[in-house]
Amino acid sequence: MTHGARIDGKAKAAELATRISSATGALKEQHGLQPGLAVVIVGEDPASQVYVRNKKRTAESCGFHSVQHSLPADTSEADVLAMVEALNRDPAIHGILVQLPLPDHIDEQRVTQAILPEKDVDGFHYINIGKLAAGDTADAFVPCTPAGCMLMIEDQVGKDLSGKRAVVVGRSNIVGKPMASLLLAANATVTIAHSRTEDLPGLCREADILVAAVGRPEMIRGDWVKPGAVVIDVGINRVEVTEGGESRSRLTGDVDFDGALARASAVTPVPGGVGPMTIIMLMSNTLRAAKLSAGIGD
Ligand code: GUN
């Protein structure tokens, strides 16, 4: 039986951060341009606050101009839209991210679609979704999580996935659908599975590349994994565990990591896999947005 490798997303993200920092230094020196990222958070969701803090810290470590706008949970939709409009007009800001989820009284689509496509570093604007769906992956701003997953898949399998079968479990707009578009653009044969799929274990066992993005702790069992497959675990689930009579919370993915590792060629861990790669892709998108704003190509 094969025993796979643990894919070190944290190390790969650190490597990319070094490259982004030096490209940012060169951009400042040669063009007097500093990439600017604005993150907007509405309300007090604790997980969102952790993500936003990480994004700000990483942006600063890459040498970006980084601003965070924290708005109270009862902020009106009109005020959030006004904030987005102001950031759209701000020449020091090249990337805008409104952290999701938003409070129930705010229409997420209305807010997401108000961000200028050229500042849409999340890749959620219909213009960017459309470019990606049309296979124009080079021109689109690609959502950060699937973009990071794709780099890790390429490290394992190569850029051309001809002949490979990929199964994406989860059909969200943030992960599942764009992930499927990227895999398809790389010539994989792609299936999107979801909660209504029949015989999910059997389908997963056909996957050379298995991407789990369902948000259910360790739902994908080790014996669902095809021997030699590459497994990408997008799930970040907080579960309560009891240790020595004490209850504490622990992060776990959508995949039974040890079980998958026994059969796969490589598996991403949680934490330390997809998460750090997601954040660094946001920096990569912001650097690119800054360059494009000044007419400097990639
Ligand atoms: N909430 C969870 N993931 C994301 C993401 O990638 N972007 C934004 N804006 N909000 C999120």
Side-chain angles (χ1 to χ4, degrees), residues 1-5 205 210 218-231 233 250 252-269:
M1 188 178 271
T2 54
H3 194 277
R205 282 185 203 109
L210 180 59
E218 299 183 3
M219 181 182 132
I220 311 285
R221 308 310 303 167
D223 68 351
W224 297 16
V225 173
K226 179 177 174 177
V230 172
V231 180
D233 188 351
R250 180 173 74 86
T252 186
D254 291 347
V255 177
D256 159 27
F257 181 76
D258 292 330
L261 206 61
R263 287 166 66 110
S265 66
V267 187
T268 62

Side-chain angles (χ1 to χ4, degrees), residues 51 55 97-101 122 124 145 174 278:
Y51 297 147
K55 286 166 186 172
L97 179 146
V98 179
Q99 186 68 27
L100 304 179
D122 252 333
F124 294 167
T145 299
I174 296 185
T278 294

